Amino acid sequence: MKVYLSGEIHTDWRGEIEAGAAGLGIEFSAPVTDHDTSDDCGVRIMGPEESKFWHDHKGAKLNAIRTRNAIAAADIVVVRFGEKYKQWNAAFDAGYAAALGKALIVMHGADHQHALKEVDAAALAVVESAEQVVEILRYTVTGKA
């Protein structure tokens, strides 16, 4: 089973899920979570830009190649919305996964319930913790709750 972990990059929720799901035979993938690498990949590969818009545009497009392929290859997509920043890219990833008919798990705190109601409506599960995601993955693989 392949699981794509999308969303906020300021906590270790990915590591918690990967550690908790050890032994289940799950292959995890994720976006590039280093800000500088992600933001600057376009200009590092295709050359500098004077305008910040085009700098960001190049990086976004290269990251989209990686992200779209990873989401398309995934059986399950987990999207985490954190507390510190608004993750517009995470909302896009959730919508893209839903459009592809991927099994979608959304993770966020109660404070985001209203803002994410449409994203939550597209999900097969909405949870608040990495532990809940691990239990869903365990159930999905083993059939045991």
Side-chain angles (χ1 to χ4, degrees):
M1 178 180 305
K2 294 181 179 183
V3 176
Y4 184 74
L5 302 173
S6 173
E8 71 91 5
I9 64 171
H10 304 285
T11 62
D12 190 35
W13 67 274
R14 286 180 180 84
E16 292 173 25
I17 291 172
E18 290 175 9
L24 293 177
I26 297 173
E27 179 184 328
F28 290 98
S29 61
V32 173
T33 58
D34 177 77
H35 272 246
D36 292 338
T37 300
S38 177
D39 288 349
D40 299 340
C41 66
V43 296
R44 287 181 185 170
I45 294 169
M46 297 182 289
E49 291 290 340
E50 290 183 29
S51 165
K52 181 66 171 144
F53 173 85
W54 292 112
H55 175 112
D56 289 346
H57 189 74
K58 279 183 175 179
K61 287 193 169 215
L62 288 189
N63 283 310
I65 292 170
R66 193 170 185 286
T67 301
R68 288 180 190 180
N69 279 295
I71 290 173
D75 300 301
I76 298 173
V77 176
V78 179
V79 181
R80 161 109 172 107
F81 293 88
E83 298 171 16
K84 190 171 182 180
Y85 300 101
K86 292 178 174 63
Q87 292 91 37
W88 307 117
N89 57 323
F92 185 88
D93 288 356
Y96 187 68
L100 293 176
K102 299 295 175 173
L104 178 62
I105 301 170
V106 173
M107 182 171 45
H108 61 76
D111 55 327
H112 287 358
Q113 279 180 333
H114 180 73
L116 294 172
K117 63 185 176 291
E118 286 83 1
V119 173
D120 289 351
L124 295 179
V126 179
V127 300
E128 291 190 16
S129 72
E131 295 82 20
Q132 289 173 306
V133 173
V134 169
E135 290 306 312
I136 290 169
L137 296 175
R138 186 178 323 286
Y139 178 77
T140 301
V141 171
T142 68
K144 297 176 184 171

